[in-house]
Amino acid sequence: MGFNLDLTEEQCDLQKWVHGFAADVLRPAAAEWDEREELPWPVLKEAADIGLYSWDALNQFFADPTGLLLCLVAEELFWGDAGAAMVLFGTNLALGGLLSAGTPEQFAEWGPQCLGDKSDPKVGAFCVSEPDAGSDVSKLRTRARYDEATDEWVLNGQKAWITNGGVAAIHVVVASVDPELGSRGQATFVIPEGTKGLVGNRKILKLGLRSSHTADVFLDDVRVPGHCLLGGKDRLDERLARAREGARTGTQNALSTFEFTRPIVGAQALGIARAAYEYALGYAKERNAFGRPIIDNQAIAFALADMRTEIDAARLLVWRAAWMAASGKAFEAGEGSMSKLKASEVAVWATERAVQILGGAGYSREHPVERWFRDAKIYTIFEGTSEIQRLVISRAISGIRIR
């Protein structure tokens, strides 16, 4: 079979299904939840009711051999509303942490608990960043100590800017077991719902993604059973021993999770960019100035042409990286970072262009482009800033530890 970019019938059907939910449920409620700055539990419940937010659905998305299905779903949901969609997709980061660090048995045990069920949907949280450790995960100060007498791990520290932090059923936490080893001395733990000592109830007020719950998470003598260490203690002890001997220990769990999710994050940014482009195109066809539609002006038409071109180019990078990840092909030139870098910067640029095309109307809350403009900005910051993505790419193509 030759080269083919056609989506399968199943992919097209699922894409249309998700787009319908985004158009009928997410978009009509987007402005209200943005103003309220509250986590939209009713929207999550509707997604769970139709099976979109469920263990079965996510298994179907992740099982797609092309790697594209989750990107298609992300783009459509974030086209609808980035804030509400982030509530759904924030759980995917926790699932990514479980998948990259845990055993298949642990993933099967804790994964469904991140999502809950139709009657009681839940969310998950992946806790890595700290006040003094964002992109530099080697500087994590959260500590995990093993208590042999009780076969428990005791965690202390603070996590910052955590999506679904404090309201999640399952918190997946990266902590340092041996600080002297930097990122090689870290491990990942599951904090089950109701565990004493975990607090994260103060929602951070943000520029965009306002309905998505973001909070600092505090861990004060949090005790979890030994089996909550992802991968198991034997594997951790072996890895720490190799690290102390100076041997290679493989990719750090937090970094491998981000590497896996970068194309998906890029697809989220694409959804916002596409929403802004489509709205600006429709507005330019209907808005008259000097006796004709403004799209008749070359400056407007060319801006829209550039928006469409950049969005399509970014999508191809996202799809390539997603396909490579699903196919087990190494990102030898930082392809995952390329996809996230391009898509995030296109989203910021395209939403700004949309505001400009609408003029004063675009600056008002009567039109959604101002909200998309605010929502887009975070994509050049979280999951690795644009500068970090460029660093990853430059190191990959040069083989030099560029700083």
Side-chain angles (χ1 to χ4, degrees):
M1 181 172 156
F3 179 75
N4 192 340
L5 283 175
D6 288 336
L7 298 176
T8 66
E9 183 178 354
E10 180 186 22
Q11 289 171 332
C12 289
D13 288 344
L14 280 166
Q15 183 183 41
K16 291 176 183 176
W17 177 54
V18 175
H19 180 82
F21 177 81
D24 298 339
V25 178
L26 295 187
R27 186 165 285 194
E32 176 189 351
W33 288 106
D34 180 73
E35 286 287 339
R36 291 170 63 170
E37 299 195 49
E38 295 177 7
L39 193 150
W41 287 108
V43 173
L44 188 70
K45 181 67 167 60
E46 288 194 58
D49 283 342
I50 66 169
L52 176 57
Y53 187 75
S54 69
W55 183 243
D56 288 342
L58 280 176
N59 276 327
Q60 184 178 7
F61 301 155
F62 277 107
D64 176 31
T66 70
L68 299 185
L69 192 51
L70 200 54
C71 291
L72 296 173
V73 170
E75 182 175 334
E76 296 306 325
L77 288 176
F78 282 76
W79 171 91
D81 176 42
M86 184 56 72
V87 176
L88 279 68
F89 262 77
T91 298
N92 283 352
L93 268 178
L95 293 171
L98 289 170
L99 188 63
S100 64
T103 64
E105 293 76 18
Q106 288 175 318
F107 185 68
E109 177 184 1
W110 301 111
Q113 295 185 43
C114 287
L115 295 132
D117 54 37
K118 281 186 179 183
S119 63
D120 187 20
K122 306 284 188 179
V123 293
F126 187 52
C127 307
V128 180
S129 297
E130 297 182 0
D132 296 320
S135 297
D136 186 4
V137 297
S138 66
K139 296 295 189 283
L140 297 185
R141 298 178 65 182
T142 298
R143 299 289 182 259
R145 173 181 58 84
Y146 183 61
D147 185 343
E148 291 189 22
T150 61
D151 184 29
E152 292 178 320
W153 287 92
V154 185
L155 284 78
N156 285 279
Q158 177 183 355
K159 295 297 181 178
W161 303 98
I162 305 304
T163 299
N164 296 334
V167 299
I170 298 293
H171 289 76
V172 180
V173 178
V174 179
S176 178
V177 177
D178 188 339
E180 294 184 2
L181 296 176
S183 61
R184 296 182 302 166
Q186 295 168 3
T188 307
F189 301 85
V190 167
I191 313 296
E193 188 172 19
T195 301
K196 293 181 180 179
L198 186 149
V199 178
N201 53 12
R202 187 184 69 84
K203 184 179 187 295
I204 296 171
L205 302 181
K206 310 185 296 295
L207 173 70
L209 301 184
R210 290 179 176 179
S211 56
S212 169
H213 186 96
T214 307
D216 286 356
V217 173
F218 297 89
L219 304 156
D220 184 11
D221 282 338
V222 172
R223 285 182 168 268
V224 294
H227 72 271
C228 288
L229 166 64
L230 294 182
K233 193 170 185 303
D234 289 344
R235 193 165 80 179
L236 173 63
D237 289 342
E238 291 174 7
R239 180 161 58 83
L240 294 178
R242 291 198 304 272
R244 290 172 185 132
E245 294 170 357
R248 292 181 61 86
T249 59
T251 306
Q252 202 275 340
N253 287 334
L255 296 179
S256 64
T257 299
F258 291 138
E259 191 77 356
F260 172 77
T261 59
R262 275 170 184 157
I264 302 169
V265 174
Q268 297 172 10
L270 280 175
I272 302 171
R274 196 184 100 215
Y277 156 73
E278 290 176 359
Y279 196 91
L281 176 62
Y283 183 89
K285 289 179 177 180
E286 296 176 0
R287 170 77 164 119
N288 286 301
F290 304 103
R292 61 180 182 174
I294 63 173
I295 199 170
D296 285 355
N297 296 294
Q298 197 176 84
I300 300 296
F302 279 15
L304 289 161
D306 286 343
M307 289 166 72
R308 176 62 183 265
T309 300
E310 290 296 308
I311 290 169
D312 281 9
R315 184 181 293 108
L316 288 173
L317 284 174
V318 166
W319 284 14
R320 180 186 67 170
W323 170 79
M324 290 178 69
S327 303
K329 297 184 181 297
F331 290 156
E332 295 182 354
E335 289 86 351
S337 289
M338 285 183 190
S339 69
K340 196 269 182 181
L341 170 66
K342 181 65 175 176
S344 62
E345 298 205 336
V346 165
V348 172
W349 173 82
T351 53
E352 191 277 335
R353 286 289 85 201
V355 171
Q356 191 71 23
I357 289 170
L358 268 69
Y363 197 70
S364 76
R365 293 190 181 182
E366 294 181 10
H367 296 271
V369 292
E370 66 84 25
R371 184 176 71 252
W372 295 329
F373 182 41
R374 290 187 283 106
D375 288 343
K377 182 55 194 169
I378 192 61
Y379 283 87
T380 62
I381 300 172
F382 76 171
E383 299 273 343
T385 64
S386 290
E387 291 75 18
I388 288 296
Q389 307 307 330
R390 289 185 169 93
L391 188 64
V392 171
I393 297 164
S394 62
R395 286 175 175 176
I397 63 177
S398 69
I400 298 172
R401 186 95 177 148
I402 297 170
R403 298 184 179 275

